[in-house]
Amino acid sequence: MDDPRALLQVRDLTAQFNRDGVPSRVVNGISFDIAPGEAVGFVGESGCGKSVTARAIMRLAPEGSSVAWGGRILFRGRDLLRIEEREMRDMRGRRIAMVFQDPMTSLNPVMTVGAQIDDMLCRHAGLSRRAARRRTVELLGLVGIRDPALRADDHPHQFSGGMRQRVLIAIAVSCQPDLLIADEPTTALDVTVQAQILRLLMRLGRELGMALMLITHDFGVIAGMVERVYVMHGGDIVESGEVDALFAGPQHPYTRALLAAVPRIETAGRTT
Amino acid sequence: MSAPGPLLRVRDLCVTFPARRGRPPVRAVDHVSFDIEPGQTLGLVGESGSGKTTTGRAILQLQPASGGSVRLLGQELTAMRRADLRAMRRHMQFVLQNPYSSLHPRMTVAQILAEPLTVHRSVPRERIPERVAELMTLVGMDPKVVHRYPHEFSGGQRQRVVIARALAVNPDFVVCDEPVSALDVRTQAQIVDLLHSLQEKLRLSYLFIAHDLAIVRAVAHRVAVMYGGRLVELGDAARVYDSPAHPYTRNLLDAVPIPDPARQRAKLAEAAPEPQFRGRDGETGPCVFGEDHAASGTPAWHEVAPGHGVSCRFWPPGACPGQELPRI
């Protein structure tokens, strides 16, 4: 069962919340693998457990709740649910990084974006302030921000939504993680900006040899980005497979219903 | 209350936000004109900051216009006295994006739906519970749950309550501003179906504002594309989607992901540089259609087919009408 080539092996993962003393299970013992450099998609609707699964890998409890995790999350053979918090802190950011949906709330509004990336580099990569700034400017350039040396001194509110998401991606890839988890990274963005961010994620995955776990409710976003897909519903993986096969012949009724609900731009609209 | 002509007629609508902190005034809506016929939907698409929400707010007189005309049911709204405007509000309602923040958390659904009925005195007090139950049925919800609070409902159900509240006063025209973008795909499809059936049943007109072009295709009879505060294209949905005339419209359509792995991969792989749409300054001399609007005094608007118009503004350098642009 254990593929030595896997970067991430999740086995029988469970997540249980405590709501007013009543335990409720949101992830029901799921198992999946991600190979080094592989792009994998997780699709499902809100409440299906996809974001909780992503947060389990980062060992982050969803905001304002306590959660009990079970099973194993093997990352390069280390079980992330059992290692010391100190080792986990080192994993976060350095080996595994995450980009969230909302680029407005994920940045500190009173710090310049450059200072936020510098901090990350000093803390995780042990760079000096000066070396960190050099790398920060490089990173901002890498994610497609024009005049990166100047823009590093701007505050988040001086950036558009798409540019802020680029900044967050720069922070996420700053320590060259092995795995980037992107949870609905383009949901809050305009369609043209979405296309740019998806291209950026693809390019970075290739250039940095980074594995990508892309979480979304949108089958259109998944289609061109990943090699394999897991479909989640009610805390279970109900279907998984290679992306072309899954789109061509979805097996599970839930997958079929989700695919059928995707609005298609090429379908003729109203006639009346 | 019938009036000749379209239900809603918007002409040269302008909204200018005043100068702030040394920055020049911003013209958020710039000479926008369109009509909406009874029982029809106009889809208004564009990116954030293009002025679509401000257009919706200015039509509803929630945002003062700095110029132009808005006529609903033949009545000019922009110069109307407050009391008259309040009476007109019963004909025009608003459905907002976020069903989580647009419902008062401490009010039950019954109280939420009774409020507009009381304010507009549209039914006698003793008939209110009956009307509330009717509204719940209309939006496909069980009237028995009216004593629950918004947090007890899912996002889709809350959006149904928001729609019921908008319909409480029997409006003719509803501005739907991103009504489904906070919802899951399957819930989106259900709300879109609901809006359809309500339109047929009640002969409603919608201004449907959205950044999701695929959703707009499913709901709109006509589509207006907005960029930099201006309409750059307006026409029947089928024409705008199948033969877009403005390069910005083509750009928007090209960016929509296709749920087909092979084609979407090919699309993401083709990374031509983004076209730069020219700003509004320096628009002198002949336009892309070869007309000098400054000299002739004509509006920068060209009919490419009956009912299908396009602006000659914001064309990237070198782009010509009818010519393919590099894909983004």
Side-chain angles (χ1 to χ4, degrees):
Chain A
M1 125 183 169
D2 285 354
D3 182 351
R5 286 165 308 164
L7 174 70
L8 183 79
Q9 292 172 294
V10 172
R11 293 292 174 269
D12 307 314
L13 177 71
T14 59
Q16 188 165 296
F17 287 99
N18 234 329
R19 286 196 184 112
D20 309 319
V22 186
S24 85
R25 227 174 207 216
V26 290
V27 178
N28 292 329
I30 62 171
S31 300
F32 61 90
D33 292 326
I34 299 179
E38 189 187 26
V40 175
F42 279 74
V43 191
E45 292 174 297
S46 47
C48 73
K50 59 192 196 297
S51 292
V52 176
T53 300
R55 282 168 172 273
I57 298 168
M58 294 290 275
R59 220 164 84 185
L60 294 170
E63 265 172 67
S65 65
S66 67
V67 59
W69 282 306
R72 286 185 299 155
I73 300 178
L74 298 173
F75 183 79
R76 295 196 178 288
R78 300 286 289 154
D79 188 344
L80 300 183
L81 293 178
R82 282 171 187 80
I83 58 176
E84 293 290 317
E85 182 56 29
R86 219 162 47 98
E87 189 182 346
M88 191 63 218
R89 259 203 305 274
D90 196 49
M91 285 282 185
R92 284 185 210 120
R94 230 154 75 84
R95 299 271 133 252
I96 309 168
M98 192 157 174
V99 180
F100 298 93
Q101 171 175 351
D102 191 352
M104 315 294 164
T105 55
S106 311
L107 287 165
N108 183 341
V110 297
M111 268 172 93
T112 66
V113 301
Q116 297 183 52
I117 307 177
D118 294 349
D119 261 14
M120 178 86 187
L121 291 165
C122 294
R123 198 143 23 100
H124 287 294
L127 295 187
S128 69
R129 279 272 145 197
R130 178 174 295 190
R133 178 45 63 104
R134 260 202 309 274
R135 179 82 183 124
T136 292
V137 172
E138 259 173 46
L139 284 164
L140 290 175
L142 180 72
V143 297
I145 288 174
R146 280 188 209 125
D147 301 324
L150 286 174
R151 293 311 304 269
D153 290 323
D154 282 344
H155 285 85
H157 73 268
Q158 291 165 292
F159 289 81
S160 66
M163 285 296 156
R164 267 178 247 183
Q165 194 60 291
R166 286 177 196 261
V167 169
L168 286 171
I169 292 170
I171 293 175
V173 303
S174 60
C175 300
Q176 307 215 358
D178 300 316
L179 172 64
L180 178 66
I181 303 172
D183 188 357
E184 301 274 9
T186 61
T187 304
L189 304 175
D190 282 320
V191 60
T192 49
V193 182
Q194 166 171 283
Q196 295 158 12
I197 296 291
L198 292 179
R199 284 207 179 97
L200 173 65
L201 286 172
M202 248 180 141
R203 176 167 66 80
L204 291 176
R206 240 191 344 256
E207 284 174 12
L208 307 175
M210 188 172 62
L212 177 69
M213 176 178 179
L214 180 64
I215 299 165
T216 172
H217 68 281
D218 187 339
F219 267 112
V221 165
I222 281 286
M225 291 288 294
V226 302
E227 291 139 46
R228 285 187 304 121
V229 183
Y230 292 95
V231 181
M232 282 190 77
H233 180 48
D236 291 306
I237 290 174
V238 296
E239 184 161 0
S240 66
E242 191 261 328
V243 65
D244 294 83
L246 190 124
F247 273 79
Q251 297 300 307
H252 195 282
Y254 179 73
T255 312
R256 285 204 289 269
L258 266 191
L259 269 170
V262 176
R264 277 152 217 263
I265 198 143
E266 290 157 316
T267 329
R270 305 188 67 162
T271 46
T272 53
Chain B
M1 178 143 191
S2 73
L7 178 99
L8 178 78
R9 186 183 165 94
V10 178
R11 285 294 174 275
D12 292 317
L13 182 67
C14 295
V15 177
T16 308
F17 292 117
R20 266 181 65 204
R21 280 191 269 166
R23 291 187 195 176
V26 176
R27 176 147 286 188
V29 179
D30 197 357
H31 292 88
V32 164
S33 303
F34 55 76
D35 293 339
I36 302 181
E37 302 295 330
Q40 297 269 305
T41 302
L42 175 71
L44 182 58
V45 300
E47 292 178 66
S48 45
S50 62
K52 22 184 227 305
T53 293
T54 308
T55 301
R57 291 176 51 86
I59 290 169
L60 296 175
Q61 307 301 309
L62 299 171
Q63 167 74 50
S66 52
S69 143
V70 177
R71 293 178 85 85
L72 181 69
L73 295 156
Q75 310 233 33
E76 179 60 47
L77 302 182
T78 53
M80 204 173 254
R81 295 205 327 266
R82 286 178 74 95
D84 296 335
L85 191 59
R86 205 171 306 134
M88 277 309 279
R89 291 211 182 280
R90 137 176 141 57
H91 299 287
M92 49 186 192
Q93 291 288 315
F94 213 170
V95 172
L96 289 175
Q97 171 173 3
N98 194 333
Y100 296 86
S101 60
S102 50
L103 294 174
H104 196 295
R106 298 294 193 90
M107 282 167 82
T108 64
V109 167
Q111 290 168 327
I112 288 167
L113 296 181
E115 197 175 40
L117 297 173
T118 320
V119 170
H120 290 279
R121 295 192 194 90
S122 32
V123 296
R125 188 162 285 279
E126 64 280 5
R127 263 213 63 217
I128 286 180
E130 194 187 323
R131 176 70 179 144
V132 166
E134 216 174 273
L135 286 166
M136 290 292 277
T137 314
L138 187 65
V139 297
M141 284 182 74
D142 184 351
K144 285 198 213 87
V145 300
V146 290
H147 297 297
R148 297 203 187 150
Y149 289 91
H151 75 265
E152 298 176 70
F153 296 99
S154 68
Q157 289 170 319
R158 272 184 252 208
Q159 199 58 301
R160 286 176 192 264
V161 173
V162 172
I163 293 169
R165 179 177 59 185
L167 299 181
V169 294
N170 280 319
D172 302 276
F173 170 60
V174 182
V175 173
C176 305
D177 191 356
E178 301 276 8
V180 298
S181 47
L183 306 173
D184 281 320
V185 278
R186 285 192 308 166
T187 319
Q188 284 186 354
Q190 289 158 7
I191 296 293
V192 162
D193 283 348
L194 174 67
L195 290 170
H196 267 174
S197 75
L198 291 171
Q199 181 164 53
E200 269 159 35
K201 221 179 281 176
L202 308 170
R203 212 169 140 73
L204 292 168
S205 300
Y206 297 130
L207 176 65
F208 193 97
I209 302 171
H211 70 280
D212 183 338
L213 284 95
I215 286 277
V216 170
R217 169 129 227 198
V219 302
H221 300 93
R222 285 172 65 75
V223 176
V225 183
M226 207 163 175
Y227 180 80
R230 281 181 177 260
L231 290 193
V232 295
E233 187 156 358
L234 173 66
D236 290 340
R239 290 242 6 145
V240 172
Y241 279 80
D242 296 335
S243 25
H246 198 284
Y248 178 71
T249 310
R250 276 181 265 163
N251 189 336
L252 268 187
L253 290 171
D254 266 349
V256 176
I258 300 174
D260 174 328
R263 290 176 56 203
Q264 179 62 13
R265 264 195 297 270
K267 228 166 133 157
L268 287 173
E270 280 176 54
E274 273 174 76
Q276 293 296 313
F277 299 98
R278 200 160 42 154
R280 86 184 63 191
D281 297 325
E283 310 253 355
T284 52
C287 73
V288 287
F289 290 89
E291 211 180 306
D292 190 342
H293 298 287
S296 63
T298 50
W301 191 257
H302 302 265
E303 289 255 311
V304 289
H308 182 190
V310 62
S311 168
C312 54
R313 306 267 181 137
F314 303 125
W315 285 61
C320 313
Q323 174 211 49
E324 276 293 310
L325 261 191
R327 304 174 71 111
I328 63 150

